[in-house]
Coordinates of all heavy atoms in Angstrom, one line a residue:
T181 N 0.8 -1.2 0.0 CA 0.0 0.0 0.0 C 0.9 1.3 0.0 O 0.6 2.2 -0.8 CB -0.9 0.0 1.2 OG1 -1.8 -1.1 1.1 CG2 -1.7 1.3 1.3
I182 N 1.9 1.3 0.8 CA 2.6 2.6 1.0 C 3.7 2.7 -0.1 O 4.2 3.9 -0.3 CB 3.3 2.7 2.4 CG1 4.3 1.5 2.6 CG2 2.2 2.7 3.5 CD1 5.0 1.7 4.0
T183 N 4.0 1.7 -0.8 CA 5.0 1.9 -1.9 C 4.4 2.7 -3.1 O 5.2 3.2 -3.9 CB 5.5 0.5 -2.5 OG1 4.4 -0.3 -2.8 CG2 6.4 -0.2 -1.4
Q184 N 3.1 2.9 -3.1 CA 2.6 3.7 -4.2 C 3.0 5.2 -4.0 O 2.8 5.9 -5.0 CB 1.0 3.6 -4.2 CG 0.4 4.2 -3.0 CD -1.1 4.2 -3.0 OE1 -1.8 4.8 -3.9 NE2 -1.7 3.4 -2.1
Y185 N 3.5 5.5 -2.9 CA 4.0 6.9 -2.7 C 5.5 7.1 -2.9 O 6.0 8.2 -2.7 CB 3.6 7.3 -1.3 CG 2.1 7.1 -0.9 CD1 1.8 6.1 0.1 CD2 1.1 7.8 -1.5 CE1 0.5 5.9 0.4 CE2 -0.2 7.5 -1.2 CZ -0.5 6.6 -0.3 OH -1.8 6.3 0.0
A186 N 6.2 6.0 -3.2 CA 7.6 6.1 -3.4 C 8.0 6.5 -4.8 O 7.2 6.3 -5.7 CB 8.2 4.7 -3.0
F187 N 9.2 7.0 -4.9 CA 9.7 7.6 -6.2 C 10.8 6.8 -6.8 O 11.7 7.4 -7.5 CB 10.1 9.0 -6.0 CG 9.1 9.8 -5.1 CD1 9.4 9.8 -3.7 CD2 8.0 10.4 -5.6 CE1 8.5 10.5 -2.9 CE2 7.1 11.0 -4.8 CZ 7.4 11.1 -3.4
I188 N 10.9 5.5 -6.6 CA 12.1 4.7 -7.0 C 11.6 3.6 -7.9 O 10.5 3.0 -7.7 CB 12.8 4.2 -5.8 CG1 13.1 5.4 -4.8 CG2 14.0 3.4 -6.1 CD1 13.6 4.9 -3.5
D189 N 12.4 3.2 -8.9 CA 12.0 2.1 -9.8 C 12.4 0.7 -9.3 O 11.9 -0.3 -9.7 CB 12.5 2.3 -11.2 CG 14.0 2.5 -11.3 OD1 14.6 2.6 -10.3 OD2 14.5 2.5 -12.4
N190 N 13.4 0.7 -8.4 CA 13.9 -0.6 -7.9 C 12.9 -1.0 -6.8 O 12.6 -0.3 -5.8 CB 15.3 -0.5 -7.3 CG 15.8 -1.8 -6.6 OD1 15.5 -2.0 -5.5 ND2 16.5 -2.6 -7.3
E191 N 12.4 -2.2 -6.8 CA 11.3 -2.6 -6.0 C 11.7 -2.7 -4.5 O 11.0 -2.2 -3.6 CB 10.7 -4.0 -6.4 CG 9.4 -4.4 -5.7 CD 8.3 -3.4 -5.9 OE1 8.2 -2.7 -6.9 OE2 7.5 -3.2 -4.9
L192 N 12.8 -3.3 -4.2 CA 13.3 -3.4 -2.8 C 13.6 -2.0 -2.3 O 13.2 -1.6 -1.1 CB 14.5 -4.3 -2.7 CG 15.1 -4.4 -1.2 CD1 14.0 -5.0 -0.3 CD2 16.3 -5.3 -1.2
A193 N 14.3 -1.1 -3.0 CA 14.5 0.2 -2.6 C 13.3 1.0 -2.4 O 13.1 1.8 -1.5 CB 15.5 0.9 -3.6
K194 N 12.3 0.8 -3.3 CA 11.0 1.5 -3.1 C 10.3 1.1 -1.8 O 9.8 2.0 -1.1 CB 10.1 1.1 -4.3 CG 8.7 1.8 -4.3 CD 7.9 1.4 -5.5 CE 8.4 2.0 -6.8 NZ 7.5 1.8 -7.9
R195 N 10.3 -0.2 -1.5 CA 9.6 -0.6 -0.3 C 10.4 -0.1 0.9 O 9.8 0.3 1.9 CB 9.6 -2.2 -0.3 CG 8.6 -2.7 -1.3 CD 8.7 -4.2 -1.4 NE 8.0 -5.0 -0.4 CZ 6.7 -5.2 -0.4 NH1 6.0 -4.8 -1.4 NH2 6.2 -6.0 0.5
N196 N 11.7 -0.1 0.8 CA 12.5 0.4 2.0 C 12.3 1.9 2.2 O 12.2 2.4 3.3 CB 14.0 0.1 1.8 CG 14.8 0.5 3.0 OD1 14.6 -0.1 4.1 ND2 15.7 1.4 2.9
W197 N 12.2 2.7 1.1 CA 11.9 4.1 1.2 C 10.6 4.4 1.9 O 10.5 5.2 2.8 CB 11.9 4.8 -0.2 CG 11.7 6.3 -0.1 CD1 12.7 7.2 -0.2 CD2 10.5 7.0 0.0 NE1 12.1 8.5 -0.1 CE2 10.8 8.3 0.0 CE3 9.2 6.6 0.1 CZ2 9.8 9.3 0.1 CZ3 8.2 7.5 0.2 CH2 8.5 8.9 0.2
A198 N 9.6 3.6 1.4 CA 8.3 3.8 2.0 C 8.2 3.5 3.5 O 7.6 4.2 4.3 CB 7.3 2.9 1.2
A199 N 8.9 2.4 3.9 CA 8.9 2.0 5.3 C 9.6 3.0 6.1 O 9.2 3.4 7.2 CB 9.5 0.6 5.4
A200 N 10.8 3.5 5.7 CA 11.6 4.4 6.4 C 10.9 5.7 6.6 O 11.0 6.4 7.6 CB 13.0 4.6 5.8
H201 N 10.3 6.2 5.5 CA 9.7 7.6 5.6 C 8.3 7.6 6.1 O 7.9 8.6 6.7 CB 9.7 8.1 4.1 CG 11.0 8.6 3.7 ND1 12.0 7.7 3.3 CD2 11.6 9.8 3.5 CE1 13.1 8.3 2.9 NE2 12.9 9.6 3.0
L202 N 7.5 6.6 5.9 CA 6.1 6.7 6.2 C 5.6 6.0 7.5 O 4.7 6.3 8.1 CB 5.2 6.1 5.0 CG 5.4 6.9 3.7 CD1 4.6 6.3 2.6 CD2 5.0 8.4 3.9
L203 N 6.4 4.9 7.9 CA 5.9 4.2 9.0 C 6.3 4.8 10.3 O 5.9 4.3 11.4 CB 6.5 2.7 9.0 CG 5.9 1.9 7.9 CD1 6.4 0.4 8.0 CD2 4.3 1.8 8.0
I204 N 7.1 5.9 10.3 CA 7.3 6.6 11.6 C 6.3 7.7 11.8 O 6.3 8.3 12.9 CB 8.7 7.3 11.5 CG1 8.8 8.4 10.5 CG2 9.8 6.3 11.3 CD1 10.0 9.3 10.5
Q205 N 5.3 7.8 10.9 CA 4.3 8.9 11.0 C 3.0 8.4 11.4 O 2.4 7.5 10.7 CB 4.2 9.6 9.6 CG 5.5 10.2 9.2 CD 5.3 11.0 7.9 OE1 4.3 11.6 7.7 NE2 6.2 10.9 7.0
P206 N 2.4 8.9 12.5 CA 1.1 8.5 12.9 C 0.0 8.7 11.8 O -0.9 8.0 11.7 CB 0.8 9.3 14.2 CG 2.2 9.6 14.7 CD 3.1 9.7 13.5
A207 N 0.3 9.8 11.0 CA -0.7 10.1 10.0 C -0.9 9.0 9.0 O -2.0 8.8 8.4 CB -0.2 11.4 9.2
T208 N 0.2 8.2 8.7 CA 0.1 7.1 7.8 C -0.9 6.1 8.2 O -1.7 5.6 7.5 CB 1.5 6.5 7.6 OG1 2.4 7.4 7.0 CG2 1.4 5.3 6.6
Y209 N -0.8 5.7 9.5 CA -1.7 4.7 10.1 C -3.2 5.1 10.1 O -4.1 4.4 9.8 CB -1.2 4.3 11.5 CG 0.2 3.8 11.5 CD1 1.3 4.7 11.7 CD2 0.5 2.4 11.3 CE1 2.6 4.2 11.8 CE2 1.8 2.0 11.3 CZ 2.9 2.9 11.5 OH 4.2 2.4 11.5
K210 N -3.3 6.4 10.5 CA -4.7 6.9 10.6 C -5.3 7.0 9.2 O -6.5 6.7 9.0 CB -4.7 8.3 11.3 CG -4.3 8.2 12.8 CD -4.2 9.6 13.4 CE -3.7 9.5 14.8 NZ -3.5 10.9 15.4
F211 N -4.6 7.6 8.3 CA -5.1 7.8 6.9 C -5.6 6.4 6.3 O -6.6 6.4 5.6 CB -4.1 8.5 6.0 CG -4.5 8.7 4.6 CD1 -5.5 9.7 4.3 CD2 -4.1 7.9 3.6 CE1 -5.9 9.8 3.0 CE2 -4.5 8.1 2.3 CZ -5.4 9.0 2.0
H212 N -4.8 5.4 6.5 CA -5.1 4.1 5.9 C -5.9 3.2 6.7 O -6.2 2.0 6.3 CB -3.8 3.4 5.5 CG -3.0 4.1 4.4 ND1 -2.0 5.0 4.7 CD2 -3.1 4.0 3.1 CE1 -1.5 5.4 3.5 NE2 -2.2 4.8 2.5
G213 N -6.4 3.7 7.9 CA -7.3 2.9 8.7 C -6.6 1.8 9.5 O -7.3 0.8 9.9
W214 N -5.3 1.9 9.7 CA -4.6 0.9 10.5 C -4.5 1.2 12.0 O -3.9 0.4 12.7 CB -3.2 0.7 9.9 CG -3.2 0.3 8.5 CD1 -4.1 -0.4 7.8 CD2 -2.2 0.7 7.5 NE1 -3.8 -0.6 6.5 CE2 -2.6 0.1 6.3 CE3 -1.0 1.4 7.5 CZ2 -1.8 0.2 5.1 CZ3 -0.2 1.5 6.4 CH2 -0.7 1.0 5.2
A215 N -5.0 2.3 12.4 CA -5.0 2.7 13.8 C -6.4 2.5 14.4 O -7.4 2.5 13.7 CB -4.6 4.2 13.9
G216 N -6.4 2.2 15.7 CA -7.6 2.0 16.4 C -8.4 3.3 16.7 O -7.9 4.4 16.3
E217 N -9.5 3.2 17.3 CA -10.3 4.4 17.5 C -9.6 5.3 18.5 O -9.8 6.6 18.4 CB -11.7 4.0 18.1 CG -12.6 3.3 17.2 CD -13.9 3.0 17.8 OE1 -14.2 3.4 18.9 OE2 -14.8 2.4 17.1
D218 N -8.7 4.8 19.3 CA -8.0 5.7 20.3 C -6.7 6.2 19.7 O -5.9 6.9 20.3 CB -7.7 4.9 21.6 CG -6.8 3.7 21.4 OD1 -6.6 3.3 20.2 OD2 -6.4 3.1 22.4
G219 N -6.4 5.8 18.4 CA -5.2 6.3 17.7 C -4.0 5.3 17.8 O -3.0 5.5 17.2

C-alpha cells in the first residue's frame, strides 16, 4: 500500500523508502485505517 507513494523504480529500494519515511508517521496509520479508535 505505501509503496505507491515512493519515487524509485527498484522494488526493494521502493519498499524500503516507503517503510523508512512513512511508518514513523502516525498520519500514515490513521489515513489508511490501520490505527484503532484511540489512535
